[in-house]
Amino acid sequence: MAAELTTPELIARHRPTLDQALESIRTRAYWSPHPEHPKAYGEHGSLDAAAGKAAFDALLGTRLDLGQPGTDDWVGGEVSPYGVELGVTYPHSDLDVLLPAMRAGQRAWRDAGPEARAVVSIEILKRISDRTHEFAHAVMHTSGQAFMMAFQAGGPHAQDRGLEAVAYAYAEQIRTPDVAEWTKPQGKRDPLVMNKRFTPVPRGTALVIGCNTFPTWNGYPGLFASLATGNAVLVKPHPRAVLPLALTVRIAREVLTEAGFDPNLVALAAERPGEGIAKTLATRPEIRIIDYTGSTGFGDWLEANARQAQVYTEKAGVNTVVVESTDDYKGMLSNLAFSLSLYSGQMCTTPQNLLIPRDGITTDQGPKSYDEVVADLARAVDGLLGDDARANGLLGALVNPDVKARLEAAAGLGEVALASREIANPEFPDAVVRTPVIVKLDGAKPDDEAAYMSECFGPVSFAVAVDSASDAVELLRRTVREKGAMTVGAYTTDEGSSGTSRRCASRRPRSCR
């Protein structure tokens, strides 16, 4: 095929970006070529807010034809958590046709070398970045994130993660020289000389299993790491969040074609309702790498059954914060209220268990009892979400009925310190928007342990009363050991307090499942 983009052109265009990314992973300093503010877009060919919204609207009710081989049906059915039926249909593929077609272009992609693969990947990311406003609406209406979160987390932050993966992939591939002369002295005899040649060898076809809540943020690292290292990539989106990854695949296929490579190096695996093709794909012999974000149960299944592949999983956990003491009581409450509320707690990094000594904590405002801390936190959440417009911007919408069911059931697990309330969204009347619930539990009661030792994904948090700070730390350790965790944190002013670190507060995370 005739290339519209030559490798030298792409190197000239994107080598500075690659070099800066390499410098950033070396120093771990902040740098991003992807603007976080919506007003930064609209120049140099990128879509501004109005054009991005129009591009998204134009997708609704259409067929997204990717030109993939083996298409035997058209599937869809996504309904936005905000109540909008997307009506987009996607190609359903005969895997016995699609997977061999994906393998056909891998030799040329491998032989292109690390630099060519890196700059092609960066060109894909650049075109995605130019359409960030369009992607923001696609992420918002599949994940339920509020627009600004969908814009930032689904746009520049996801793109940063993709670029970081490209940079690390490139660095690893060039760490060993292409050629080397190996000479071993032999005393009086002639030295032993070997001319060595090193070629990074891709594993084969990679499978990215997408998630519902952060499809691009969690999908891009695996996608671009595999592509930049010479592997073909099959993207299997979550059936409720196909559109953002389908758009990604379409852009990738366009760039690969223009650069003279086989577009089938990146393909989409959409599924019929209830088909559940992830297990089928994961155990196919052609699949050699799997990237997955989601529930612990399916992650464990992949690790146990996809034995032919290198499996990378981000699974669930029970995130915990120890509250022992603080010299900024108001700030602590504000941070915790924000962390519990952001995206309605639908992040794998949202704190679930707050471990608080039953005798209370010391603060800059004097001693606070367990009941006072919980009541003050409830008021902080109420204050943060008291204005419905502000609340809609922070909470977004519940991503699926399972989250709503867990939220409603949580009120029956203990004493409710903060009841969840329904918030109307004037722009989207069918959106299901709920504030968090905080439930008081006793760490000494076995019946309560069944609740706080299980992940309750969604806007549900447990204020767990414990006997002491040392007991809190021991419970934290046991929780991480038995259930895992994506984040842990502690508030304490005592550097030696039971092994906790000084004011290691829960951050405002951008990750999720």
Side-chain angles (χ1 to χ4, degrees):
M1 65 185 74
E4 299 176 25
L5 292 171
T6 67
T7 297
E9 288 173 339
L10 288 172
I11 290 173
R13 183 183 301 176
H14 296 305
R15 184 71 215 201
T17 299
L18 177 60
D19 287 340
Q20 184 60 62
L22 292 168
E23 178 66 9
S24 294
I25 66 170
R26 185 188 70 80
T27 64
R28 303 311 299 157
Y30 172 77
W31 172 76
S32 172
H34 307 117
E36 289 185 311
H37 199 284
K39 291 183 179 179
Y41 296 83
E43 298 180 356
H44 309 298
S46 65
L47 299 181
D48 63 12
K53 177 62 163 60
F56 169 75
D57 288 341
L59 290 168
L60 302 180
T62 65
R63 174 175 289 182
L64 202 68
D65 191 347
L66 302 176
Q68 294 183 175
T71 298
D72 58 13
D73 197 2
W74 295 92
V75 297
E78 290 157 294
V79 176
S80 167
Y82 290 93
V84 178
E85 288 193 22
L86 302 189
V88 184
T89 56
Y90 310 95
H92 180 278
S93 297
D94 181 340
L95 298 178
D96 291 329
V97 176
L98 180 60
L99 287 169
M102 296 184 68
R103 193 165 58 242
Q106 289 190 56
R107 180 178 292 274
W109 185 236
R110 180 200 69 187
D111 293 345
E115 187 177 37
R117 291 193 294 269
V119 294
V120 168
S121 298
I122 294 173
E123 175 68 19
I124 296 169
L125 285 165
K126 175 63 170 62
R127 295 195 190 184
I128 293 170
S129 177
D130 287 344
R131 296 166 60 175
T132 292
H133 275 282
E134 178 185 0
F135 271 81
H137 288 284
V139 171
M140 172 183 175
H141 284 288
T142 51
S143 70
Q145 295 174 33
F147 177 78
M148 274 306 300
M149 186 176 196
F151 181 92
Q152 292 186 334
H157 297 166
Q159 296 152 20
D160 284 349
R161 282 166 62 80
L163 179 58
E164 183 180 44
V166 172
Y168 275 112
Y170 179 78
E172 283 302 303
Q173 290 173 96
I174 65 167
R175 188 161 55 87
T176 301
D178 293 336
V179 295
E181 184 179 279
W182 183 87
T183 303
K184 179 180 179 180
Q186 298 280 352
K188 295 182 179 180
R189 293 179 293 169
D190 291 338
L192 182 62
V193 179
M194 297 177 62
N195 292 312
K196 297 184 177 183
R197 189 175 298 273
F198 300 93
T199 303
V201 178
R203 286 181 174 270
T205 302
L207 173 65
V208 174
I209 302 176
C211 70
N212 193 175
T213 48
F214 286 76
T216 55
W217 201 93
N218 276 314
Y220 283 4
L223 192 165
F224 284 99
S226 291
L227 190 63
T229 48
N231 304 280
V233 183
L234 181 59
V235 179
K236 205 297 290 183
H238 190 285
R240 291 194 185 100
V242 182
L243 184 56
L245 292 179
L247 292 174
T248 301
V249 169
R250 182 163 72 174
I251 292 172
R253 292 174 65 84
E254 290 170 353
V255 171
L256 287 164
T257 299
E258 292 176 26
F261 296 102
D262 190 335
N264 295 321
L265 288 165
V266 179
L268 185 77
E271 57 191 317
R272 299 184 182 97
E275 187 176 6
I277 63 172
K279 286 186 176 182
T280 301
L281 282 169
T283 52
R284 294 272 307 209
E286 301 95 331
I287 300 300
R288 307 297 294 173
I289 302 169
I290 297 174
D291 283 278
Y292 166 76
T293 299
S295 70
T296 298
F298 190 61
D300 290 346
W301 186 93
L302 287 170
E303 292 166 356
N305 292 278
R307 307 308 294 270
Q308 85 292 347
Q310 180 72 46
V311 178
Y312 301 93
T313 62
E314 181 193 301
K315 297 180 288 189
V318 177
N319 301 320
T320 303
V321 176
V322 173
V323 181
E324 187 268 342
S325 58
T326 179
D327 56 11
D328 183 6
Y329 187 60
K330 182 179 179 180
M332 180 190 78
L333 295 174
S334 176
N335 182 267
L336 286 174
F338 184 91
S339 297
L340 300 184
S341 302
L342 185 61
Y343 185 32
S344 299
Q346 297 171 117
M347 306 170 70
C348 64
T349 47
T350 299
Q352 174 178 299
N353 294 344
L354 310 177
L355 309 185
I356 307 168
R358 65 181 77 254
D359 291 335
I361 68 173
T362 58
T363 80
D364 56 318
Q365 298 183 18
K368 297 289 183 180
S369 69
Y370 164 83
D371 288 332
E372 287 176 314
V373 173
V374 179
D376 288 344
L377 177 58
R379 279 190 287 271
V381 174
D382 263 344
L384 179 66
L385 304 177
D387 177 76
D388 283 4
R390 176 181 173 86
N392 274 304
L394 286 172
L395 296 171
L398 299 188
V399 69
N400 60 52
D402 291 341
V403 175
K404 182 172 180 285
R406 282 193 292 269
L407 172 62
E408 293 172 346
L413 298 175
E415 179 186 344
V416 175
L418 176 65
S420 176
R421 67 184 180 91
E422 182 175 353
I423 293 180
N425 186 315
E427 186 178 1
F428 301 104
D430 293 329
V432 179
V433 184
R434 299 289 189 275
T435 62
V437 63
I438 300 176
V439 179
K440 297 168 74 171
L441 297 176
D442 192 328
K445 293 182 178 180
D447 289 345
D448 286 0
E449 181 174 318
Y452 66 73
M453 284 295 283
S454 299
E455 186 198 25
C456 193
F457 185 72
V460 178
S461 293
F462 301 118
V464 183
V466 293
D467 289 337
S468 64
S470 59
D471 286 335
V473 173
E474 182 53 39
L475 179 54
L476 166 64
R477 288 173 175 150
R478 183 161 68 90
T479 302
V480 173
R481 185 170 57 247
E482 296 179 10
K483 301 297 181 179
M486 294 299 296
T487 59
V488 298
Y491 284 92
T492 177
T493 56
D494 181 357
E495 293 186 5
S497 175
S498 306
T500 58
S501 59
R502 189 176 190 272
R503 292 194 65 208
C504 176
S506 174
R507 299 294 186 257
R508 301 179 180 182
R510 300 194 301 239
S511 172
C512 101
R513 166 170 69 73

